[in-house]
Amino acid sequence: MNLLKSEWIKVTTTKSAYWLYGIGIVLALGIAVLLGQLEQSSGGEPVAGAPGGGSSPLFAITGVSAFTVLLVWIAAIVAVTGEYRYHTIRSTFLVTPARWPAVVAKTVLFVVLSMIVVAVAVIVSLLVAGVLSGNDEWTPFSGEGLTLLWRFPVYSALGTVAVMGLAYLMRNAAGTISLFLVWILAVEGMVSLIPRIGQDIAAWMPFSNGDYWTQGEAMRGFVTWGQWPAFAWFAAVCVALWVVGLVVTLRRDA
């Protein structure tokens, strides 16, 4: 508990966390407002055979999937690498020579914070977009909206575990963020272009599997198995990356 209190003090006295979490929620809210107004202005009876993307609650939380989740992951990266940048990690490890309790405490705290921030963003986005559009399906408390309300926080929690493992491996904010963003925004999308084996490799990309579990068939891509096997693979990769980061942290100098 003392370690958790210590980590909490670090978070609440660091402006970067406030900014990143705040911007994540504001961007989700802003996009929800735009999409709610867009849905309202394009109202009317649907045309048979026409795509109905706006009817899904997933459409209303575009800002959450595009921005909020990424920003909570960046906040976790900054929290880890900031200690190395300002050398406060040495004091932390002097207090806890075993090291692993400090790593676990920081991970637990940021996993919880990530889930809370993303859940708030999902709720606010669906409520605001639902009110503006008049779409009764855009609610976080029933149907597909309720599924998104718990799946997105779980997805963000596992992603937080992964990025913190990567941050403990690299110990540098710019390098960690750059590598992570290039991986999820470029590599996972481009690997399918490799001749002959690209699509098979793309099916194993962890965040593609995580997106498929979170957002459904629209994000299946080249994944050939079901949503729950995709979730299991995504979770296994995230935990494995964190374990590697922990082991390296235990073995090398602070």
Side-chain angles (χ1 to χ4, degrees), residues 31-32 34-36 38-39 42 52-63 65 126 129 135 138 144 148:
I31 293 177
L34 293 175
L35 295 178
L38 176 63
E39 178 78 357
S42 61
S55 63
S56 171
L58 184 60
F59 181 67
I61 61 170
T62 300
S65 59
L126 285 173
N135 190 334
W138 288 3
E144 186 181 350
L148 296 173

Side-chain angles (χ1 to χ4, degrees), residues 21 31 41 80 89 97 121 133 141 198:
Y21 290 148
I31 293 177
S41 63
V80 174
I89 194 69
S133 66
F141 305 119

Side-chain angles (χ1 to χ4, degrees), residues 21-108:
Y21 290 148
I23 291 173
I25 294 175
V26 169
L27 285 175
L29 177 59
I31 293 177
V33 170
L34 293 175
L35 295 178
Q37 293 176 336
L38 176 63
E39 178 78 357
Q40 184 184 47
S41 63
S42 61
E45 293 298 323
V47 179
S55 63
S56 171
L58 184 60
F59 181 67
I61 61 170
T62 300
V64 179
S65 59
F67 297 108
T68 311
V69 172
L70 289 179
L71 288 171
V72 299
W73 288 343
I74 291 174
I77 292 173
V78 171
V80 174
T81 56
E83 287 212 73
Y84 285 99
R85 178 182 180 183
Y86 297 107
H87 307 294
T88 57
I89 194 69
R90 296 177 180 175
S91 301
T92 300
F93 288 160
L94 282 174
V95 175
T96 55
R99 295 191 181 184
W100 69 263
V103 175
V104 170
K106 183 180 287 291
T107 302
V108 168

Side-chain angles (χ1 to χ4, degrees), residues 2-216:
N2 287 334
L3 286 173
L4 283 173
K5 290 178 182 178
S6 173
E7 295 299 333
W8 175 252
I9 292 172
K10 293 176 186 177
V11 173
T12 54
T13 55
T14 304
K15 292 182 179 180
S16 61
Y18 291 106
W19 277 103
L20 290 167
Y21 290 148
I23 291 173
I25 294 175
V26 169
L27 285 175
L29 177 59
I31 293 177
V33 170
L34 293 175
L35 295 178
Q37 293 176 336
L38 176 63
E39 178 78 357
Q40 184 184 47
S41 63
S42 61
E45 293 298 323
V47 179
S55 63
S56 171
L58 184 60
F59 181 67
I61 61 170
T62 300
V64 179
S65 59
F67 297 108
T68 311
V69 172
L70 289 179
L71 288 171
V72 299
W73 288 343
I74 291 174
I77 292 173
V78 171
V80 174
T81 56
E83 287 212 73
Y84 285 99
R85 178 182 180 183
Y86 297 107
H87 307 294
T88 57
I89 194 69
R90 296 177 180 175
S91 301
T92 300
F93 288 160
L94 282 174
V95 175
T96 55
R99 295 191 181 184
W100 69 263
V103 175
V104 170
K106 183 180 287 291
T107 302
V108 168
L109 178 61
F110 276 90
V111 163
V112 173
L113 288 175
S114 296
M115 294 182 73
I116 292 173
V117 171
V118 170
V120 169
V122 170
I123 292 172
V124 170
S125 297
L126 285 173
L127 289 178
V128 170
V131 169
L132 291 176
S133 66
N135 190 334
D136 294 336
E137 294 183 10
W138 288 3
T139 172
F141 305 119
S142 64
E144 186 181 350
L146 182 59
T147 300
L148 296 173
L149 177 58
W150 71 266
R151 286 201 178 190
F152 264 92
V154 172
Y155 171 71
S156 68
L158 288 170
T160 299
V161 170
V163 299
M164 293 186 76
L166 184 62
Y168 276 112
L169 278 172
M170 298 191 66
R171 302 193 293 183
N172 177 271
T176 305
I177 294 171
S178 299
L179 176 61
F180 176 67
L181 292 180
V182 167
W183 178 266
I184 63 173
L185 298 178
V187 173
E188 292 213 357
M190 297 175 63
V191 70
S192 62
L193 301 177
I194 300 175
R196 289 182 289 183
I197 62 172
Q199 294 184 8
D200 293 332
I201 297 175
W204 291 92
M205 293 292 100
F207 285 91
S208 295
N209 280 269
D211 288 336
Y212 170 44
W213 177 75
T214 308
Q215 302 180 47

